[in-house]
């Protein structure tokens, strides 16, 4: 997939060195850390694009991430290069393509670790329930718009078809037998703080994905009883916002 024009402001690149607290005991950077960096790049470029005209100010929220594969490991000490570009705009959504490369700064070797596609929706800063219109992106080739529209229509169809699956929750069983689903079933509790949240006071999609990756990793490690890594993540839809604890308390008090 190639975006409208890499020279336009619809492309950004950020880089960060990987530290021990980004990684597991074997030194592999967590899938969740990479997903969080991907989402950070996505929210910057989509929010910037959605505010590029003199309309109502907004923040773009993550609505969906397409399936992504973790193609090669990233290790402590390597530099993550995260590049993002807008590849399609519908009336109310922005498609962002994010590529992640790992660079060994001692040898100069670079490897592609991820390619991810994310969809953002702009919400008014004054009214978080108001979805705003997206300024259309300028394509350098007409086929890019047609290919983008096909991806947009395909994900809309997939969302309608999978809606019924979203209520599935497995209930925990007490004293489960080893190697059963219940045996490795796990949960995490996280108190949402200001650094987890957007300007609207909602938890960043990247923070949510990091938590999802952490708990999934615990389940996989409990089952396999060894070190594990994230190999791929299926498509994720963000149906509702997670609010900061203080905001929720204030709302309940009203
Ligand atoms: N994936 C991709 N696009 C989506 C989507 C999804 N899961 N859900 C909605 N959209 C798009 C629609 O296609 C539509 O664009 P279009 O008119 O160009 O087709 C646009 O969003 C608005 O759809 P609408 O049905 O009016 O909005 P909604 O009531 O479904 O709200 C969200 C959409 C994303 C605002 C809402 O689901 C939400 O708040 N989700 C949580 C977001 C969040 O907290 N993310 C993490 C924090 S950044």
């Amino acid at each position: 997939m190639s975006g409208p024009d890499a020279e336009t402001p619809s492309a950004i690149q950020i880089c960060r060195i990987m530290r021990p607290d980004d990684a597991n005991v074997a030194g592999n950077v967590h899938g969740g850390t990479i997903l969080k960096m991907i989402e950070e790049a996505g929210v910057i470029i989509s929010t910037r694009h959605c505010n590029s005209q003199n309309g109502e100010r907004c923040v773009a929220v993550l609505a969906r991430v397409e399936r992504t594969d973790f193609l090669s490991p990233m290790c402590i000490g390597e530099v993550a290069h995260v590049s993002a570009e807008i590849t399609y705009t519908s009336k109310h959504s922005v498609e962002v393509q994010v590529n992640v490369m790992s660079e060994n700064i001692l040898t100069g070797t670079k490897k592609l670790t991820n390619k991810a596609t994310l969809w953002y929706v702009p919400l008014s800063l004054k009214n978080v329930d108001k979805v705003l219109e997206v300024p259309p992106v300028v394509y350098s080739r007409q086929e890019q718009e047609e290919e983008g529209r096909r991806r947009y229509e395909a994900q809309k169809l997939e969302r309608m078809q999978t809606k019924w699956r979203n209520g599935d929750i497995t209930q925990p069983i007490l004293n489960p037998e080893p190697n059963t689903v219940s045996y490795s079933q796990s949960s995490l509790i996280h108190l949402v703080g200001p650094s987890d949240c957007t300007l609207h006071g909602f938890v960043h999609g990247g923070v949510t994905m990091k938590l999802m990756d952490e708990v999934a990793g615990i389940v996989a490690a409990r089952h396999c009883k060894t070190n594990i890594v994230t190999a791929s993540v299926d498509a994720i839809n963000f149906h509702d916002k997670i609010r900061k604890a203080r905001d929720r308390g204030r709302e309940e008090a009203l």
Side-chain angles (χ1 to χ4, degrees), residues 131-148:
V131 175
L132 298 183
E133 286 195 18
V134 174
V137 75
V138 180
Y139 302 93
S140 49
R141 286 184 297 113
Q142 204 197 331
E143 305 87 77
Q144 288 172 340
E145 184 170 12
E146 282 156 18
E147 288 162 13

Side-chain angles (χ1 to χ4, degrees), residues 62-64 90 92 121 152 156 159 203 237-239 241:
L62 180 64
R64 179 179 169 90
S90 72
H92 302 106
V121 175
Y152 162 75
K156 261 197 135 162
R159 277 194 277 137
V203 176
N237 288 296
F238 291 79
H239 299 290
K241 302 161 190 77

Side-chain angles (χ1 to χ4, degrees), residues 10 25 31 35 57 63 91 94 104 111 114 128 130 144 150 161 173 211 214 216 237 251:
S10 60
V25 285
L35 289 169
R57 292 286 163 234
K91 192 169 179 193
V94 183
N104 180 322
K111 277 185 289 178
N114 284 83
V128 289
K130 188 174 167 195
Q144 288 172 340
R150 275 198 288 276
Q161 287 169 342
I173 295 173
L211 289 169
E214 254 171 69
N237 288 296
E251 256 168 36

Side-chain angles (χ1 to χ4, degrees), residues 18-165:
M18 295 292 104
R19 304 278 184 205
D21 59 354
D22 294 315
N24 64 16
V25 285
N28 296 121
V29 173
H30 293 296
T33 302
I34 297 175
L35 289 169
K36 190 162 174 266
M37 290 190 294
I38 289 174
E39 204 275 325
E40 278 166 8
V43 80
I44 293 170
I45 197 167
S46 53
T47 300
R48 190 181 278 163
H49 177 79
C50 292
N51 286 286
S52 60
Q53 290 179 358
N54 286 336
E56 204 173 325
R57 292 286 163 234
C58 63
V59 170
V61 296
L62 180 64
R64 179 179 169 90
V65 182
E66 300 296 352
R67 183 203 151 90
T68 178
D69 293 296
F70 291 80
L71 305 169
S72 66
M74 185 163 342
C75 300
I76 296 171
E78 290 187 327
V79 172
H81 293 258
V82 185
S83 54
E85 60 177 340
I86 292 174
T87 40
Y88 182 73
T89 50
S90 72
K91 192 169 179 193
H92 302 106
S93 69
V94 183
E95 184 198 48
V96 179
Q97 167 83 46
V98 182
N99 293 340
V100 185
M101 308 276 298
S102 65
E103 180 195 2
N104 180 322
I105 46 176
L106 304 180
T107 61
T109 319
K110 277 190 182 174
K111 277 185 289 178
L112 180 70
T113 62
N114 284 83
K115 268 174 177 276
T117 305
L118 303 93
W119 293 88
Y120 287 84
V121 175
L123 299 182
S124 159
L125 261 185
K126 284 193 224 141
N127 173 5
V128 289
D129 296 321
K130 188 174 167 195
V131 175
L132 298 183
E133 286 195 18
V134 174
V137 75
V138 180
Y139 302 93
S140 49
R141 286 184 297 113
Q142 204 197 331
E143 305 87 77
Q144 288 172 340
E145 184 170 12
E146 282 156 18
E147 288 162 13
R149 187 176 301 114
R150 275 198 288 276
R151 292 191 298 275
Y152 162 75
E153 280 163 5
Q155 58 91 351
K156 261 197 135 162
L157 185 66
E158 198 265 353
R159 277 194 277 137
M160 281 193 299
Q161 287 169 342
T162 54
K163 220 171 184 174
W164 61 273
R165 281 207 257 137

